[in-house]
């Protein structure tokens, strides 16, 4: 069959492929080019992109269209001639991950992609952020777990993985990158690249993945697309991207409107340009179709009826339902199992399949003890793939059994055995978390990427009926050459100019060092960038919100370990502590609120040692919130009117930020209380 070399030149895109010369191909190519407004050339012109892209930091718009090569992963994966003969590209499948900083619109963009590819019926009710199926995700408005779906565009199946944007859940993103060949890097049209954008892009470039940059929320009034594209280009250079990777395709989109285009002023009526860019600029999976079966397990789900479900991309061979396989962790450690059920992702659901070819993402049932990072391989000649590695945790917290007088009132699981089983079960799917036994038999040390990472686990456990106590978060330090090192993070604070002084003062007290300050958009907002010890971030979010009247936005991401920054104070005020058991009364609370702000109202059961408020001065203060007004037989002329302040309503995250070294948070299915740690009880005034 005669071959032709095809070159399509688009806005920020240059793609060369060798395809069979057929009339049906020519007509379909012309139709797709017409949608994008692309010219079609029959000559190969790879030399036209020979200019060094590092010297070409220009404003990329429709007027100044450049010939830019789509980033391809071949450059990062040198192969021998024999390997090239064995490995082939699948043209009918694309595996992509959508990555971005939190709130840059990943999940909303996936919603639009699902709707426009007719995944749902026209009359079907579809809620917003359909991929955020977890209750906690819906309540908090964030993505916590990565999820798979797929859409079909023309004759190509596109497997899409929606990933979390918070840096605390970076472990989810790191392992998902093993399953894909390219990423959609979604960047806000006003904010530009943010800390998590840098983290996920760095990981993707290390894998050698192709990148399509989506400048989202282009319909915002203060959008500045040229600045965002140039900032993203600078970020690629900072992260030592190859020349091919620096020549990325740019798509401008409005996820909420379901529109995309090659220039910010000229958006199509749908996401057609985005789908075309995915198919053109992200290569199909490289597979060894006739080789021995290999599949790396990158995610685990659990079903009450099917048990554990292993999810991953098939690297080589064909996987069939009912097949006997070998499960490998290393060359020496292998065991055998059988695939009882096999599923592929079709539209928004898992669909049973009899067999799966290499290159596709699938779900496997029947192996009850499968773990993330293990390889499902051929029973006869299977070899394990390299295991998944994620970065180390930086924050730890102590979990222990509930020792308060109210133990067992609400919880279903209250013993140390229940707590141990649940925590170690979490390790099976949460690779970035670690659990160790504590100093006593009923204490466990849980380490995670950040406070939010561990708080989500605590919230899930209390909803499952667990009752336990949690200590304050502590950073994980290291000793290198007898020098104490602690983790540092990059903190970016978006704050209106009138509150900037208070925020700068607050970050300075916590040993933060400013290294950048710039204006953002036309809203009079300033973006401050700090390098700050992780210790200084504990309890910082609430303090910044208070200092900025609730207008500041704080984002952080782990940077590196550095020298110990010295002592710092994260809380200036003490606590109000109840000194007897009983039920709170209006009379007692009225006098207590003169000493500070209280957490409880009248008629609430309290116990000795429970924290009932914030003292207005340093140091703790014991008081009686159960005291009742003395009854006398003298009739007063007028009843005294008691006016109570609204009690502070602290969430689980707020409580964990608030507590100090000698305090604990009591977590039950219905209540969250704070108390003094009896083992570390300090003298109270």
């Amino acid at each position: 069959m005669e071959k032709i070399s095809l070159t399509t030149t688009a806005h920020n895109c240059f793609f060369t492929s060798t395809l069979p010369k057929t009339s049906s191909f020519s007509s379909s190519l012309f139709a797709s080019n017409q949608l994008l407004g692309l010219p079609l050339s029959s000559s190969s012109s790879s030399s036209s992109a020979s200019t060094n892209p590092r010297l070409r930091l220009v404003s990329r718009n429709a007027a100044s269209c450049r010939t830019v090569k789509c980033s391809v992963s071949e450059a990062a994966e040198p192969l021998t001639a024999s390997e090239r003969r064995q490995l082939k590209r699948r043209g009918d499948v694309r595996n992509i991950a959508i990555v971005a900083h939190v709130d840059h619109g990943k999940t909303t963009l996936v919603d639009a992609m699902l709707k426009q590819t007719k995944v749902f019926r026209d009359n079907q009710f579809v809620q917003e952020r359909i991929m955020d199926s977890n209750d906690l995700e819906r309540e908090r408005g964030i993505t916590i777990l990565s999820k798979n779906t797929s859409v079909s565009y023309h004759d190509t199946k596109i497997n899409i993985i929606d990933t979390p944007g918070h840096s605390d859940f970076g472990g989810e993103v790191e392992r998902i990158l093993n399953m894909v060949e390219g990423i959609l890097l979604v960047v806000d049209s006003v904010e530009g690249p943010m800390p998590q954008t840098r983290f996920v892009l760095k990981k993707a470039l290390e894998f050698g993945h192709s990148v399509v940059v989506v400048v989202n929320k282009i319909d915002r009034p203060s959008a500045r697309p040229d600045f965002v594209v140039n900032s993203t280009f600078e970020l690629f250079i900072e992260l030592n991207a190859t020349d091919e990777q620096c020549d990325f395709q740019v798509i401008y989109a409005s996820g909420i409107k379901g529109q995309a285009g090659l220039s910010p002023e000229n958006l199509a009526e749908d996401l057609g340009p985005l789908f075309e860019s995915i198919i053109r600029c992200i290569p199909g999976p490289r597979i060894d179709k006739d080789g021995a079966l290999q599949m790396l397990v990158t995610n685990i789900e659990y079903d009450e009826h099917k048990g554990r479900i292993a999810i991953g991309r098939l690297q080589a061979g064909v996987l069939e339902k009912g097949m006997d396989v070998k499960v490998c962790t290393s060359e020496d450690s292998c065991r055998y199992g059988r695939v009882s059920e096999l599923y592929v992702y079709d539209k928004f659901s898992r669909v049973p399949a009899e067999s799966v070819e290499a290159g596709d993402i699938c779900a496997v049932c029947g192996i009850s003890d499968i773990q993330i990072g293990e390889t499902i391989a051929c029973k006869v000649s299977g070899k394990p793939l390299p295991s998944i590695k994620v970065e180390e945790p930086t924050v730890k917290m102590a979990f222990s059994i509930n020792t308060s007088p109210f133990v067992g009132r609400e919880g279903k699981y209250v013993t140390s055995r229940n707590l141990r089983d649940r925590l170690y079960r979490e390790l099976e799917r949460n690779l970035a978390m670690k659990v160790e036994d504590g100093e006593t038999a009923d204490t466990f040390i849980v380490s995670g990427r950040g406070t939010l990472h561990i708080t989500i686990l605590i919230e899930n456990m209390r909803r499952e009926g667990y009752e336990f106590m949690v200590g304050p978060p502590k950073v994980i330090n290291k000793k290198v050459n007898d020098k104490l090192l602690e983790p540092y993070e990059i903190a970016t604070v978006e704050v209106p100019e009138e509150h900037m002084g208070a925020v700068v003062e607050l970050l300075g007290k916590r040993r933060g060092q400013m290294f950048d300050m710039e204006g953002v958009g036309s809203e009079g907002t300033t973006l401050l960038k700090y390098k700050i010890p992780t210790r200084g971030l504990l309890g910082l979010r609430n303090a910044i919100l208070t200092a900025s009247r609730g207008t500041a936005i704080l984002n952080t991401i782990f940077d590196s370990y550095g020298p110990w920054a010295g002592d710092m104070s994260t809380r200036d005020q003490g606590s109000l502590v109840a000194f007897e058991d009983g039920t709170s009364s209006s009379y007692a609370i009225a006098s207590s609120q003169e000493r500070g702000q209280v957490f409880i109202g009248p008629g609430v059961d309290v116990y000795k040692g429970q924290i009932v408020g914030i003292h207005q001065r340093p140091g703790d203060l014991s008081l009686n919130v159960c005291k009742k007004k003395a009854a006398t037989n003298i009739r007063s002329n007028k009843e005294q009117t008691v006016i109570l302040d609204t009690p502070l309503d602290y969430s689980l995250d707020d409580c964990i930020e608030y507590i100090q070294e000698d305090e604990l948070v009591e977590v039950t299915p219905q209540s969250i209380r704070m108390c003094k740690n009896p083992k570390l009880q300090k003298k109270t005034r």
Side-chain angles (χ1 to χ4, degrees):
M1 183 184 291
E2 186 185 353
K3 303 278 185 180
I4 61 167
S5 178
L6 169 75
T7 304
T8 57
T9 307
H11 173 53
N12 299 340
C13 185
F14 179 88
F15 182 81
T16 305
S17 63
T18 305
L19 294 158
K21 184 178 180 181
T22 62
S23 59
S24 61
F25 167 74
S26 302
S27 59
S28 65
L29 179 70
F30 178 78
S32 61
N33 279 0
Q34 203 170 35
L35 174 66
L36 273 172
L38 305 180
L40 184 63
S41 166
S42 59
S43 63
S44 176
S45 56
S46 58
S47 61
S48 62
S50 60
T51 312
N52 188 346
R54 296 172 189 276
L55 305 176
R56 203 173 58 216
L57 187 59
V58 294
S59 174
R60 305 180 180 196
N61 52 38
S64 59
C65 185
R66 292 272 187 156
T67 304
V68 184
K69 197 182 294 180
C70 284
S71 57
V72 289
S73 51
E74 278 92 290
E77 300 175 27
L79 298 170
T80 63
S82 61
E83 284 177 327
R84 277 205 189 87
R85 281 196 297 272
Q86 290 176 353
L87 298 179
K88 296 180 180 178
R89 289 277 185 200
R90 272 190 73 173
D92 59 339
V93 174
R94 298 290 185 276
N95 299 318
I96 62 167
I98 297 188
V99 299
H101 188 78
V102 65
D103 283 339
H104 279 199
K106 300 178 298 300
T107 308
T108 307
L109 187 65
V110 175
D111 276 3
M113 294 172 80
L114 291 170
K115 287 173 184 172
Q116 291 190 17
T117 49
K118 301 297 181 186
V119 168
F120 309 108
R121 298 189 313 273
D122 291 338
N123 64 344
Q124 186 174 346
F125 170 75
V126 181
Q127 59 192 4
E128 287 185 9
R129 292 186 290 111
I130 186 73
M131 296 297 284
D132 286 348
S133 52
N134 188 313
D135 288 342
L136 266 180
E137 291 178 323
R138 297 212 149 272
E139 289 170 23
R140 292 173 179 248
I142 60 173
T143 303
I144 296 170
L145 302 171
S146 54
K147 299 173 199 69
N148 298 54
T149 187
S150 78
V151 299
S152 294
Y153 185 74
H154 294 172
D155 296 326
T156 306
K157 179 182 180 182
I158 304 174
N159 286 311
I160 302 171
I161 306 173
D162 184 25
T163 63
H166 271 280
S167 59
D168 287 25
F169 309 115
E172 291 275 324
V173 182
E174 283 179 78
R175 68 166 188 255
I176 287 307
L177 291 175
N178 285 277
M179 296 167 66
V180 299
E181 285 75 38
I183 65 167
L184 292 189
L185 184 71
V186 182
V187 186
D188 189 285
S189 65
V190 177
E191 295 179 354
M194 295 291 277
Q196 182 68 0
T197 313
R198 183 188 188 91
F199 172 78
V200 293
L201 179 60
K202 181 184 175 199
K203 294 294 175 188
L205 294 177
E206 285 173 2
F207 275 90
H209 288 334
S210 307
V211 182
V212 173
V213 175
V214 181
V215 181
N216 197 24
K217 304 185 184 181
I218 198 67
D219 51 339
R220 286 181 66 176
S222 53
R224 41 181 190 166
D226 291 346
F227 166 81
V228 169
V229 172
N230 286 341
S231 300
T232 308
F233 186 77
E234 288 171 352
L235 182 59
F236 271 74
I237 293 173
E238 281 177 39
L239 297 176
N240 297 320
T242 63
D243 288 357
E244 290 82 5
Q245 288 170 329
C246 284
D247 292 340
F248 51 83
Q249 166 78 53
V250 178
I251 293 291
Y252 303 92
S254 169
I256 201 157
K257 290 183 178 177
Q259 296 179 322
L262 296 167
S263 69
E265 301 85 14
N266 187 22
L267 298 186
E269 291 301 311
D270 55 20
L271 293 174
L274 176 61
F275 287 119
E276 291 288 345
S277 299
I278 291 170
I279 291 168
R280 290 173 185 279
C281 295
I282 292 178
R286 185 191 277 123
I287 60 166
D288 183 5
K289 188 175 180 181
D290 302 321
L293 172 68
Q294 277 185 317
M295 173 184 145
L296 184 68
V297 178
T298 51
N299 209 351
I300 294 281
E301 288 184 10
Y302 185 80
D303 186 275
E304 290 182 4
H305 306 291
K306 300 181 180 68
R308 284 203 187 183
I309 302 172
I311 300 169
R313 188 189 70 186
L314 202 60
Q315 304 275 12
V318 177
L319 185 60
E320 296 176 353
K321 182 179 174 181
M323 191 177 191
D324 290 323
V325 294
K326 185 159 65 173
V327 182
C328 304
T329 51
S330 65
E331 292 287 353
D332 306 322
S333 173
C334 292
R335 59 190 187 280
Y336 295 96
R338 171 169 285 191
V339 178
S340 62
E341 298 283 343
L342 190 59
Y343 296 90
V344 293
Y345 289 89
D346 183 30
K347 297 182 177 177
F348 195 62
S349 57
R350 279 199 295 259
V351 179
E354 291 299 317
S355 65
V356 177
E357 289 186 17
D360 211 346
I361 292 173
C362 63
V364 177
C365 305
I367 306 170
S368 59
D369 56 350
I370 192 80
Q371 301 278 1
I372 290 174
E374 293 184 331
T375 303
I376 297 175
C378 174
K379 186 178 178 181
V380 180
S381 58
K383 292 182 180 180
L385 290 161
S387 190
I388 298 170
K389 294 179 182 177
V390 294
E391 291 187 359
E392 293 293 307
T394 57
V395 174
K396 61 183 179 182
M397 291 168 71
F399 285 52
S400 61
I401 59 169
N402 191 357
T403 54
S404 83
F406 296 163
V407 60
R409 283 192 181 184
E410 301 166 7
K412 187 177 174 185
Y413 307 106
V414 296
T415 65
S416 60
R417 182 176 57 82
N418 296 143
L419 189 59
R420 169 192 285 273
D421 291 347
R422 176 63 181 84
L423 290 175
Y424 279 97
R425 198 162 68 241
E426 183 69 19
L427 297 182
E428 294 171 1
R429 61 162 301 124
N430 206 331
L431 280 189
M433 193 169 274
K434 289 186 177 179
V435 177
E436 303 164 320
D437 291 341
E439 295 175 358
T440 60
D442 55 10
T443 305
F444 307 94
I445 307 299
V446 179
S447 307
R449 279 287 181 85
T451 312
L452 182 65
H453 190 199
I454 304 175
T455 305
I456 293 296
L457 168 63
I458 296 169
E459 185 65 45
N460 280 325
M461 287 174 65
R462 72 180 281 248
R463 293 182 184 207
E464 293 165 16
Y466 287 85
E467 201 172 288
F468 53 97
M469 284 187 161
V470 184
K474 300 176 183 176
V475 299
I476 300 172
N477 299 322
K478 285 183 179 179
K479 259 199 169 175
V480 179
N481 299 329
D482 293 330
K483 288 185 178 178
L484 185 63
L485 304 180
E486 65 173 329
Y488 280 76
E489 304 204 18
I490 300 297
T492 59
V493 187
E494 209 174 305
V495 61
E497 288 177 6
E498 62 264 28
H499 301 301
M500 193 170 71
V503 170
V504 168
E505 183 184 356
L506 191 62
L507 287 160
K509 282 183 182 176
R510 292 170 178 252
R511 310 279 180 176
Q513 296 176 336
M514 186 193 296
F515 64 86
D516 192 16
M517 180 173 72
E518 62 183 47
V520 180
S522 58
E523 291 130 350
T525 303
T526 304
L527 188 70
L528 307 173
K529 294 186 180 179
Y530 276 82
K531 185 172 182 179
I532 185 171
T534 304
R535 278 184 304 140
L537 294 172
L538 304 178
L540 180 62
R541 199 172 299 274
N542 275 342
I544 278 189
L545 286 174
T546 304
S548 65
R549 304 291 187 270
T551 56
I553 300 170
L554 171 68
N555 290 296
T556 61
I557 191 160
F558 174 74
D559 180 52
S560 60
Y561 273 82
W564 179 261
D567 295 331
M568 69 176 75
S569 173
T570 56
R571 197 177 91 194
D572 300 327
Q573 297 164 306
S575 300
L576 300 177
V577 184
F579 69 62
E580 71 172 15
D581 301 350
T583 304
S584 60
S585 66
S586 302
Y587 176 72
I589 290 175
S591 58
S592 300
Q593 66 189 19
E594 297 172 6
R595 309 283 187 173
Q597 297 171 289
V598 293
F599 295 136
I600 61 170
V604 177
D605 290 340
V606 298
Y607 55 83
K608 183 179 179 180
Q610 182 177 333
I611 297 172
V612 294
I614 304 173
H615 191 202
Q616 60 193 4
R617 294 177 182 168
D620 297 338
L621 177 67
S622 292
L623 42 76
N624 189 353
V625 290
C626 306
K627 182 172 61 177
K628 292 184 173 57
K629 187 177 181 181
T632 67
N633 59 356
I634 299 172
R635 184 178 296 169
S636 61
N637 293 329
K638 185 182 178 185
E639 286 292 325
Q640 186 180 358
T641 305
V642 176
I643 300 174
L644 299 179
D645 296 337
T646 305
L648 291 174
D649 184 18
Y650 265 26
S651 65
L652 174 63
D653 301 69
D654 296 333
C655 290
I656 286 172
E657 278 198 358
Y658 174 80
I659 58 174
Q660 296 280 56
E661 187 69 31
D662 63 330
E663 296 166 348
L664 298 169
V665 177
E666 179 190 352
V667 180
T668 69
Q670 295 172 29
S671 310
I672 296 168
R673 306 181 189 93
M674 291 179 283
C675 63
K676 304 303 286 186
N677 188 344
K679 297 175 184 175
L680 302 171
Q681 188 69 57
K682 290 182 181 178
K683 286 185 179 180
T684 56
R685 287 174 51 197

